[in-house]
Amino acid sequence: MSTKIVSVLGYAKEENQFIVKAQNFDVRISKNDQSPELEGPSPLEYILAGYAGCINAVGKLVAKEQGITLKSLQVEITGTLSLDKYQGKTSNERAGFGSIEVVVKPTADATLEQLKEWLIAVENRCPVQDNLVNRTPISVTLLKEFQTIEAA
């Protein structure tokens, strides 16, 4: 079994924008009051963008393996969620997406049957889809900032 560890580090100070370090990239999340031109997508949009990007990456890999030439690939994803829990209101709704719809539009010299088989393989091999569809154990640790006090 081969494995890969994927890590990111996010941070913000006071009223500053949240920045995530991913590899050698700075990923800006949501609002930037000091520099609106540097605003970024919301965390939920990043989830959907990552999902679309994963479908693209896996789609190209599977197409190559299956001998399909993808001329282009468009992935449209829409997520629907209730804002009640997020806004602190009493709700039985989930805080996350209640549903996600994906429309995949490949341009390829392949039959509809070949493209159906291709898409099934893409869905089965897409790590982001796997994480959205299946439970993933998550461990959250809280570390409180503290100051060292030297004994006199």
Side-chain angles (χ1 to χ4, degrees), residues 1-96:
M1 174 174 100
S2 60
T3 61
K4 178 180 180 174
I5 305 252
V6 178
S7 297
V8 299
L9 171 65
Y11 60 93
K13 291 184 180 179
E14 296 178 21
E15 297 297 317
N16 291 344
Q17 182 178 28
F18 194 74
I19 306 290
V20 175
K21 292 279 190 186
Q23 296 180 32
N24 295 323
F25 303 99
D26 285 346
V27 179
R28 298 178 182 282
I29 309 281
S30 293
K31 300 287 182 207
N32 185 326
D33 294 331
Q34 288 86 22
S35 303
E37 70 277 4
L38 297 178
E39 287 186 3
S42 74
L44 293 168
E45 290 166 326
Y46 270 111
I47 289 172
L48 298 184
Y51 187 15
C54 193
I55 289 171
N56 175 67
V58 175
K60 288 179 179 178
L61 178 67
V62 172
K64 185 175 182 181
E65 292 171 358
Q66 293 181 352
I68 297 171
T69 302
L70 283 178
K71 297 176 184 173
S72 68
L73 178 59
Q74 181 177 334
V75 181
E76 181 180 337
I77 303 179
T78 303
T80 304
L81 68 147
S82 168
L83 296 178
D84 289 347
K85 190 168 277 190
Y86 167 76
Q87 294 171 340
K89 299 175 184 172
T90 302
S91 174
N92 291 329
E93 297 289 326
R94 297 178 54 199

Side-chain angles (χ1 to χ4, degrees), residues 130-138:
D130 180 80
N131 277 279
L132 290 170
V133 171
N134 298 300
R135 295 182 141 235
T136 300
I138 297 176

Side-chain angles (χ1 to χ4, degrees), residues 99-111:
S99 66
I100 296 175
E101 294 180 23
V102 181
V103 178
V104 180
K105 301 176 186 176
T107 302
D109 290 334
T111 66

